[in-house]
mmCIF file of all heavy atoms in Angstrom:
data_model
loop_
_atom_site.group_PDB
_atom_site.id
_atom_site.type_symbol
_atom_site.label_atom_id
_atom_site.label_comp_id
_atom_site.label_asym_id
_atom_site.label_seq_id
_atom_site.Cartn_x
_atom_site.Cartn_y
_atom_site.Cartn_z
ATOM 1 N N TYR A 428 -7.697 8.106 -8.578
ATOM 2 C CA TYR A 428 -6.709 9.014 -9.150
ATOM 3 C C TYR A 428 -6.568 8.702 -10.633
ATOM 4 O O TYR A 428 -6.517 7.531 -11.024
ATOM 5 C CB TYR A 428 -5.354 8.864 -8.452
ATOM 6 C CG TYR A 428 -5.452 8.973 -6.946
ATOM 7 C CD1 TYR A 428 -5.710 7.841 -6.165
ATOM 8 C CD2 TYR A 428 -5.304 10.191 -6.303
ATOM 9 C CE1 TYR A 428 -5.814 7.922 -4.790
ATOM 10 C CE2 TYR A 428 -5.411 10.290 -4.918
ATOM 11 C CZ TYR A 428 -5.665 9.151 -4.166
ATOM 12 O OH TYR A 428 -5.770 9.236 -2.800
ATOM 13 N N ASN A 429 -6.482 9.738 -11.444
ATOM 14 C CA ASN A 429 -6.445 9.583 -12.906
ATOM 15 C C ASN A 429 -5.368 10.535 -13.417
ATOM 16 O O ASN A 429 -5.612 11.721 -13.592
ATOM 17 C CB ASN A 429 -7.824 9.931 -13.481
ATOM 18 C CG ASN A 429 -7.960 9.621 -14.950
ATOM 19 O OD1 ASN A 429 -7.099 8.979 -15.543
ATOM 20 N ND2 ASN A 429 -9.051 10.082 -15.547
ATOM 21 N N SER A 430 -4.160 10.013 -13.630
ATOM 22 C CA SER A 430 -3.002 10.872 -13.844
ATOM 23 C C SER A 430 -2.270 10.564 -15.145
ATOM 24 O O SER A 430 -2.287 9.441 -15.630
ATOM 25 C CB SER A 430 -2.018 10.701 -12.676
ATOM 26 O OG SER A 430 -0.800 11.375 -12.915
ATOM 27 N N GLY A 431 -1.597 11.599 -15.666
ATOM 28 C CA GLY A 431 -0.738 11.432 -16.831
ATOM 29 C C GLY A 431 0.640 10.910 -16.487
ATOM 30 O O GLY A 431 1.466 10.709 -17.376
ATOM 31 N N LEU A 432 0.916 10.682 -15.204
ATOM 32 C CA LEU A 432 2.179 10.058 -14.835
ATOM 33 C C LEU A 432 2.234 8.653 -15.421
ATOM 34 O O LEU A 432 1.207 8.023 -15.675
ATOM 35 C CB LEU A 432 2.313 9.995 -13.309
ATOM 36 C CG LEU A 432 2.507 11.338 -12.596
ATOM 37 C CD1 LEU A 432 2.406 11.147 -11.089
ATOM 38 C CD2 LEU A 432 3.841 11.969 -12.963
ATOM 39 N N SER A 433 3.448 8.159 -15.605
ATOM 40 C CA SER A 433 3.611 6.840 -16.227
ATOM 41 C C SER A 433 3.585 5.731 -15.181
ATOM 42 O O SER A 433 3.777 5.971 -13.980
ATOM 43 C CB SER A 433 4.927 6.779 -16.997
ATOM 44 O OG SER A 433 6.024 6.760 -16.097
ATOM 45 N N GLU A 434 3.380 4.532 -15.661
ATOM 46 C CA GLU A 434 3.392 3.376 -14.772
ATOM 47 C C GLU A 434 4.737 3.268 -14.044
ATOM 48 O O GLU A 434 4.790 2.884 -12.869
ATOM 49 C CB GLU A 434 3.116 2.103 -15.568
ATOM 50 C CG GLU A 434 2.930 0.862 -14.736
ATOM 51 C CD GLU A 434 1.734 0.951 -13.794
ATOM 52 O OE1 GLU A 434 0.710 1.546 -14.165
ATOM 53 O OE2 GLU A 434 1.834 0.410 -12.662
ATOM 54 N N GLY A 435 5.822 3.637 -14.711
ATOM 55 C CA GLY A 435 7.135 3.592 -14.091
ATOM 56 C C GLY A 435 7.320 4.602 -12.967
ATOM 57 O O GLY A 435 8.280 4.500 -12.196
ATOM 58 N N GLN A 436 6.416 5.573 -12.858
ATOM 59 C CA GLN A 436 6.498 6.585 -11.803
ATOM 60 C C GLN A 436 5.535 6.310 -10.652
ATOM 61 O O GLN A 436 5.370 7.132 -9.760
ATOM 62 C CB GLN A 436 6.213 7.968 -12.401
ATOM 63 C CG GLN A 436 7.268 8.408 -13.400
ATOM 64 C CD GLN A 436 6.845 9.587 -14.257
ATOM 65 O OE1 GLN A 436 5.668 9.726 -14.600
ATOM 66 N NE2 GLN A 436 7.799 10.424 -14.625
ATOM 67 N N ARG A 437 4.933 5.121 -10.666
ATOM 68 C CA ARG A 437 3.910 4.790 -9.667
ATOM 69 C C ARG A 437 4.470 4.830 -8.244
ATOM 70 O O ARG A 437 3.857 5.426 -7.346
ATOM 71 C CB ARG A 437 3.315 3.413 -9.959
ATOM 72 C CG ARG A 437 2.247 2.987 -8.940
ATOM 73 C CD ARG A 437 1.647 1.630 -9.291
ATOM 74 N NE ARG A 437 0.872 1.698 -10.516
ATOM 75 C CZ ARG A 437 -0.392 2.109 -10.595
ATOM 76 N NH1 ARG A 437 -1.029 2.496 -9.490
ATOM 77 N NH2 ARG A 437 -1.015 2.114 -11.749
ATOM 78 N N ALA A 438 5.598 4.178 -8.013
ATOM 79 C CA ALA A 438 6.136 4.101 -6.651
ATOM 80 C C ALA A 438 6.411 5.492 -6.091
ATOM 81 O O ALA A 438 6.126 5.771 -4.919
ATOM 82 C CB ALA A 438 7.419 3.260 -6.635
ATOM 83 N N ALA A 439 6.958 6.382 -6.909
ATOM 84 C CA ALA A 439 7.248 7.737 -6.459
ATOM 85 C C ALA A 439 5.968 8.502 -6.179
ATOM 86 O O ALA A 439 5.879 9.254 -5.196
ATOM 87 C CB ALA A 439 8.083 8.467 -7.508
ATOM 88 N N ALA A 440 4.960 8.323 -7.037
ATOM 89 C CA ALA A 440 3.685 9.011 -6.828
ATOM 90 C C ALA A 440 3.037 8.569 -5.521
ATOM 91 O O ALA A 440 2.541 9.397 -4.745
ATOM 92 C CB ALA A 440 2.750 8.747 -8.003
ATOM 93 N N VAL A 441 3.036 7.285 -5.271
ATOM 94 C CA VAL A 441 2.451 6.760 -4.030
ATOM 95 C C VAL A 441 3.202 7.301 -2.822
ATOM 96 O O VAL A 441 2.589 7.773 -1.845
ATOM 97 C CB VAL A 441 2.465 5.223 -4.042
ATOM 98 C CG1 VAL A 441 2.109 4.675 -2.661
ATOM 99 C CG2 VAL A 441 1.491 4.681 -5.082
ATOM 100 N N ALA A 442 4.539 7.260 -2.878
ATOM 101 C CA ALA A 442 5.335 7.742 -1.747
ATOM 102 C C ALA A 442 5.094 9.222 -1.487
ATOM 103 O O ALA A 442 4.974 9.652 -0.334
ATOM 104 C CB ALA A 442 6.820 7.483 -2.024
ATOM 105 N N ASN A 443 5.009 10.015 -2.553
ATOM 106 C CA ASN A 443 4.812 11.454 -2.405
ATOM 107 C C ASN A 443 3.421 11.761 -1.848
ATOM 108 O O ASN A 443 3.260 12.634 -0.974
ATOM 109 C CB ASN A 443 5.029 12.140 -3.739
ATOM 110 C CG ASN A 443 5.480 13.582 -3.626
ATOM 111 O OD1 ASN A 443 6.112 14.133 -4.526
ATOM 112 N ND2 ASN A 443 5.175 14.244 -2.529
ATOM 113 N N LEU A 444 2.398 11.061 -2.338
ATOM 114 C CA LEU A 444 1.044 11.298 -1.837
ATOM 115 C C LEU A 444 0.930 10.909 -0.364
ATOM 116 O O LEU A 444 0.265 11.600 0.420
ATOM 117 C CB LEU A 444 0.032 10.529 -2.681
ATOM 118 C CG LEU A 444 -0.186 11.086 -4.093
ATOM 119 C CD1 LEU A 444 -0.993 10.118 -4.938
ATOM 120 C CD2 LEU A 444 -0.873 12.451 -4.044
ATOM 121 N N LYS A 445 1.599 9.833 0.027
ATOM 122 C CA LYS A 445 1.613 9.467 1.441
ATOM 123 C C LYS A 445 2.285 10.559 2.269
ATOM 124 O O LYS A 445 1.822 10.908 3.358
ATOM 125 C CB LYS A 445 2.348 8.138 1.631
ATOM 126 C CG LYS A 445 1.578 6.922 1.182
ATOM 127 C CD LYS A 445 2.370 5.653 1.450
ATOM 128 C CE LYS A 445 1.576 4.412 1.063
ATOM 129 N NZ LYS A 445 2.344 3.163 1.320
ATOM 130 N N LYS A 446 3.371 11.105 1.749
ATOM 131 C CA LYS A 446 4.140 12.112 2.473
ATOM 132 C C LYS A 446 3.322 13.371 2.758
ATOM 133 O O LYS A 446 3.457 13.987 3.812
ATOM 134 C CB LYS A 446 5.405 12.468 1.687
ATOM 135 C CG LYS A 446 6.349 13.411 2.399
ATOM 136 C CD LYS A 446 7.598 13.672 1.556
ATOM 137 C CE LYS A 446 8.458 12.454 1.413
ATOM 138 N NZ LYS A 446 9.744 12.756 0.740
ATOM 139 N N VAL A 447 2.440 13.753 1.808
ATOM 140 C CA VAL A 447 1.656 14.976 2.000
ATOM 141 C C VAL A 447 0.317 14.711 2.688
ATOM 142 O O VAL A 447 -0.454 15.645 2.918
ATOM 143 C CB VAL A 447 1.413 15.713 0.661
ATOM 144 C CG1 VAL A 447 2.734 16.073 0.004
ATOM 145 C CG2 VAL A 447 0.531 14.906 -0.285
ATOM 146 N N GLY A 448 0.023 13.450 2.995
ATOM 147 C CA GLY A 448 -1.190 13.149 3.744
ATOM 148 C C GLY A 448 -2.382 12.721 2.919
ATOM 149 O O GLY A 448 -3.490 12.622 3.436
ATOM 150 N N ALA A 449 -2.158 12.462 1.633
ATOM 151 C CA ALA A 449 -3.247 11.959 0.781
ATOM 152 C C ALA A 449 -3.143 10.437 0.692
ATOM 153 O O ALA A 449 -3.097 9.853 -0.396
ATOM 154 C CB ALA A 449 -3.171 12.592 -0.604
ATOM 155 N N ASP A 450 -3.113 9.806 1.829
ATOM 156 C CA ASP A 450 -2.889 8.358 1.901
ATOM 157 C C ASP A 450 -4.221 7.620 1.893
ATOM 158 O O ASP A 450 -4.632 7.010 2.875
ATOM 159 C CB ASP A 450 -2.085 8.029 3.160
ATOM 160 C CG ASP A 450 -1.592 6.595 3.171
ATOM 161 O OD1 ASP A 450 -1.831 5.878 2.186
ATOM 162 O OD2 ASP A 450 -0.974 6.181 4.177
ATOM 163 N N VAL A 451 -4.902 7.702 0.758
ATOM 164 C CA VAL A 451 -6.218 7.087 0.608
ATOM 165 C C VAL A 451 -6.263 6.338 -0.725
ATOM 166 O O VAL A 451 -6.007 6.923 -1.788
ATOM 167 C CB VAL A 451 -7.343 8.148 0.624
ATOM 168 C CG1 VAL A 451 -8.702 7.492 0.382
ATOM 169 C CG2 VAL A 451 -7.346 8.918 1.934
ATOM 170 N N ASN A 452 -6.519 5.034 -0.683
ATOM 171 C CA ASN A 452 -6.720 4.232 -1.896
ATOM 172 C C ASN A 452 -5.577 4.401 -2.914
ATOM 173 O O ASN A 452 -5.809 4.687 -4.088
ATOM 174 C CB ASN A 452 -8.039 4.614 -2.580
ATOM 175 C CG ASN A 452 -9.246 4.245 -1.747
ATOM 176 O OD1 ASN A 452 -9.134 3.562 -0.732
ATOM 177 N ND2 ASN A 452 -10.416 4.709 -2.156
ATOM 178 N N LEU A 453 -4.358 4.186 -2.470
ATOM 179 C CA LEU A 453 -3.203 4.353 -3.356
ATOM 180 C C LEU A 453 -2.790 3.051 -4.037
ATOM 181 O O LEU A 453 -1.670 2.939 -4.541
ATOM 182 C CB LEU A 453 -2.017 4.938 -2.563
ATOM 183 C CG LEU A 453 -2.280 6.324 -1.959
ATOM 184 C CD1 LEU A 453 -1.058 6.806 -1.188
ATOM 185 C CD2 LEU A 453 -2.657 7.330 -3.041
ATOM 186 N N ASP A 454 -3.699 2.087 -4.094
ATOM 187 C CA ASP A 454 -3.436 0.815 -4.763
ATOM 188 C C ASP A 454 -3.696 0.948 -6.259
ATOM 189 O O ASP A 454 -4.281 1.930 -6.736
ATOM 190 C CB ASP A 454 -4.339 -0.268 -4.172
ATOM 191 C CG ASP A 454 -5.811 0.116 -4.272
ATOM 192 O OD1 ASP A 454 -6.275 0.925 -3.434
ATOM 193 O OD2 ASP A 454 -6.482 -0.347 -5.213
ATOM 194 N N ALA A 455 -3.262 -0.052 -7.013
ATOM 195 C CA ALA A 455 -3.386 -0.020 -8.477
ATOM 196 C C ALA A 455 -4.833 -0.034 -8.948
ATOM 197 O O ALA A 455 -5.129 0.395 -10.068
ATOM 198 C CB ALA A 455 -2.638 -1.215 -9.084
ATOM 199 N N GLY A 456 -5.746 -0.508 -8.120
ATOM 200 C CA GLY A 456 -7.150 -0.517 -8.492
ATOM 201 C C GLY A 456 -7.823 0.838 -8.400
ATOM 202 O O GLY A 456 -8.941 1.012 -8.892
ATOM 203 N N HIS A 457 -7.148 1.792 -7.762
ATOM 204 C CA HIS A 457 -7.707 3.134 -7.616
ATOM 205 C C HIS A 457 -6.854 4.216 -8.258
ATOM 206 O O HIS A 457 -7.350 5.309 -8.516
ATOM 207 C CB HIS A 457 -7.887 3.478 -6.129
ATOM 208 C CG HIS A 457 -8.972 2.705 -5.457
ATOM 209 N ND1 HIS A 457 -8.781 1.446 -4.945
ATOM 210 C CD2 HIS A 457 -10.280 3.015 -5.211
ATOM 211 C CE1 HIS A 457 -9.910 1.008 -4.408
ATOM 212 N NE2 HIS A 457 -10.841 1.934 -4.564
ATOM 213 N N MET A 458 -5.581 3.946 -8.488
ATOM 214 C CA MET A 458 -4.698 4.928 -9.107
ATOM 215 C C MET A 458 -4.396 4.502 -10.539
ATOM 216 O O MET A 458 -3.680 3.537 -10.780
ATOM 217 C CB MET A 458 -3.391 5.083 -8.331
ATOM 218 C CG MET A 458 -2.465 6.142 -8.929
ATOM 219 S SD MET A 458 -0.870 6.256 -8.090
ATOM 220 C CE MET A 458 -1.382 6.986 -6.543
ATOM 221 N N PHE A 459 -4.957 5.243 -11.489
ATOM 222 C CA PHE A 459 -4.785 4.936 -12.905
ATOM 223 C C PHE A 459 -3.687 5.822 -13.499
ATOM 224 O O PHE A 459 -3.793 7.049 -13.493
ATOM 225 C CB PHE A 459 -6.100 5.136 -13.649
ATOM 226 C CG PHE A 459 -7.193 4.211 -13.178
ATOM 227 C CD1 PHE A 459 -8.132 4.631 -12.247
ATOM 228 C CD2 PHE A 459 -7.262 2.902 -13.644
ATOM 229 C CE1 PHE A 459 -9.125 3.786 -11.798
ATOM 230 C CE2 PHE A 459 -8.258 2.044 -13.202
ATOM 231 C CZ PHE A 459 -9.195 2.478 -12.279
ATOM 232 N N LEU A 460 -2.626 5.178 -13.994
ATOM 233 C CA LEU A 460 -1.507 5.858 -14.627
ATOM 234 C C LEU A 460 -1.356 5.344 -16.054
ATOM 235 O O LEU A 460 -1.898 4.300 -16.417
ATOM 236 C CB LEU A 460 -0.212 5.600 -13.842
ATOM 237 C CG LEU A 460 -0.238 5.923 -12.348
ATOM 238 C CD1 LEU A 460 1.130 5.624 -11.728
ATOM 239 C CD2 LEU A 460 -0.624 7.371 -12.096
ATOM 240 N N LYS A 461 -0.614 6.066 -16.864
ATOM 241 C CA LYS A 461 -0.418 5.661 -18.256
ATOM 242 C C LYS A 461 0.516 4.450 -18.335
ATOM 243 O O LYS A 461 1.641 4.498 -17.844
ATOM 244 C CB LYS A 461 0.163 6.803 -19.078
ATOM 245 C CG LYS A 461 -0.847 7.867 -19.454
ATOM 246 C CD LYS A 461 -0.233 8.887 -20.387
ATOM 247 C CE LYS A 461 -1.269 9.935 -20.818
ATOM 248 N NZ LYS A 461 -0.683 10.955 -21.703
ATOM 249 N N ASP A 462 0.027 3.399 -18.945
ATOM 250 C CA ASP A 462 0.826 2.191 -19.167
ATOM 251 C C ASP A 462 0.856 1.922 -20.666
ATOM 252 O O ASP A 462 0.060 1.157 -21.194
ATOM 253 C CB ASP A 462 0.230 1.007 -18.408
ATOM 254 C CG ASP A 462 1.122 -0.228 -18.446
ATOM 255 O OD1 ASP A 462 2.149 -0.194 -19.162
ATOM 256 O OD2 ASP A 462 0.791 -1.210 -17.763
ATOM 257 N N LYS A 463 1.779 2.582 -21.359
ATOM 258 C CA LYS A 463 1.813 2.489 -22.819
ATOM 259 C C LYS A 463 2.252 1.113 -23.299
ATOM 260 O O LYS A 463 1.886 0.697 -24.404
ATOM 261 C CB LYS A 463 2.741 3.570 -23.377
ATOM 262 C CG LYS A 463 2.207 4.974 -23.194
ATOM 263 C CD LYS A 463 3.081 6.004 -23.898
ATOM 264 C CE LYS A 463 2.477 7.399 -23.785
ATOM 265 N NZ LYS A 463 3.274 8.422 -24.502
ATOM 266 N N ALA A 464 3.012 0.403 -22.492
ATOM 267 C CA ALA A 464 3.461 -0.931 -22.903
ATOM 268 C C ALA A 464 2.348 -1.956 -22.788
ATOM 269 O O ALA A 464 2.328 -2.948 -23.525
ATOM 270 C CB ALA A 464 4.654 -1.352 -22.051
ATOM 271 N N ASN A 465 1.418 -1.720 -21.884
ATOM 272 C CA ASN A 465 0.331 -2.675 -21.658
ATOM 273 C C ASN A 465 -0.950 -1.920 -21.324
ATOM 274 O O ASN A 465 -1.469 -1.988 -20.204
ATOM 275 C CB ASN A 465 0.701 -3.639 -20.521
ATOM 276 C CG ASN A 465 -0.306 -4.754 -20.357
ATOM 277 O OD1 ASN A 465 -0.950 -5.182 -21.319
ATOM 278 N ND2 ASN A 465 -0.460 -5.224 -19.130
#
């Protein structure tokens, strides 16, 4: 996953994707979000 969502929105993104059935590789090594602080 390659998203413009922020690192602070990770937990919500994971929860929402699980809810709709896209529960595949939702770990930090596969879901890339914007981390402007680091």
Side-chain angles (χ1 to χ4, degrees):
Y428 308 88
N429 188 10
S430 172
L432 291 171
S433 71
E434 187 62 36
Q436 295 165 326
R437 179 178 293 277
V441 169
N443 207 155
L444 288 169
K445 286 182 177 180
K446 185 178 292 187
V447 301
D450 191 3
V451 177
N452 294 351
L453 299 179
D454 56 281
H457 290 84
M458 182 184 289
F459 297 97
L460 306 181
K461 283 186 178 179
D462 188 354
K463 292 186 176 182
N465 187 30

